[in-house]
Amino acid sequence: MTERTLAIIKPDAVRKNVSGEIIAMITQAGFKILGFKMIRISEAQAGEFYAVHKERPFYGELVSFMSSGAIVPIALEKENAIADYRALIGATDPAEAAEGTIRKAFASSKGENAVHGSDSAENGRNEIAFFFSESELVANQA
Ligand code: ADP
């Protein structure tokens, strides 16, 4: 089934200047890019995006990190996009990420781990809508 997922290149990876390499890994894995932009979000916006983690001990750190610099949200589409993209990025902790994954290549720590990926098709749709209006996604849908 064709699914959509939201990738985000996180501030650590943007700062390291590896956004291009990450986008290349994503497109080489067969994902279609429906939209992308470089933006900086506020702590309030980061807090809203990660509201599901509000009770977790790392929430404050996560919100401050995600608003610490530019990020690149990318709306992606592919057959089986959720599972395939999570396989491409690797485990949350780079020490546990498999060889060849984005996090193995570029993540520094469990918190500063280079990229985000949606964990379900429903979250994929909702997370894309957090950053993109539908009219911003139509260009590459032909
Ligand atoms: P994933 O991004 O792999 O889906 P989670 O949904 O569990 O992982 O966590 C969301 C994000 O919160 C992670 O990508 C990471 O940036 C941060 N995070 C998760 N666990 C920790 C932790 N133990 N310490 C610091 N940050 C964490």
Side-chain angles (χ1 to χ4, degrees):
M1 195 182 54
T2 301
E3 292 173 339
R4 289 182 179 184
T5 189
L6 179 77
I8 304 177
I9 303 176
K10 296 185 178 183
D12 58 321
V14 174
R15 277 194 280 268
K16 283 185 199 163
N17 263 327
V18 294
S19 299
E21 283 101 314
I22 291 174
I23 291 170
M25 287 175 79
I26 290 170
T27 52
Q28 278 158 17
F31 290 87
K32 180 157 107 175
I33 295 178
L34 298 179
F36 74 92
K37 55 177 83 171
M38 181 180 270
I39 56 170
R40 183 163 179 177
I41 56 173
S42 65
E43 287 215 11
Q45 287 171 303
E48 191 190 336
F49 183 77
Y50 280 112
V52 62
H53 292 309
K54 202 155 33 187
E55 308 305 328
R56 310 280 284 275
F58 56 81
Y59 178 70
E61 185 189 324
L62 177 60
V63 163
S64 109
F65 166 57
M66 288 300 289
S67 56
S68 70
I71 61 170
V72 182
I74 311 172
L76 298 173
E77 190 172 81
K78 186 182 177 298
E79 286 289 309
N80 208 27
I82 297 293
D84 285 0
Y85 179 74
R86 292 207 61 95
L88 176 66
I89 66 176
T92 309
D93 184 346
E96 291 165 16
E99 212 50 62
T101 61
I102 293 174
R103 282 172 167 165
K104 178 72 178 180
F106 299 118
S108 313
S109 66
K110 214 169 176 180
E112 304 206 357
N113 59 1
V115 281
H116 167 83
S118 309
D119 62 5
S120 68
E122 186 188 358
N123 284 343
R125 282 191 301 275
N126 291 337
E127 290 179 359
I128 286 172
F130 188 91
F131 289 105
F132 297 94
S133 64
E134 196 55 34
S135 65
E136 290 177 293
L137 303 176
V138 297
N140 196 22
Q141 282 182 51

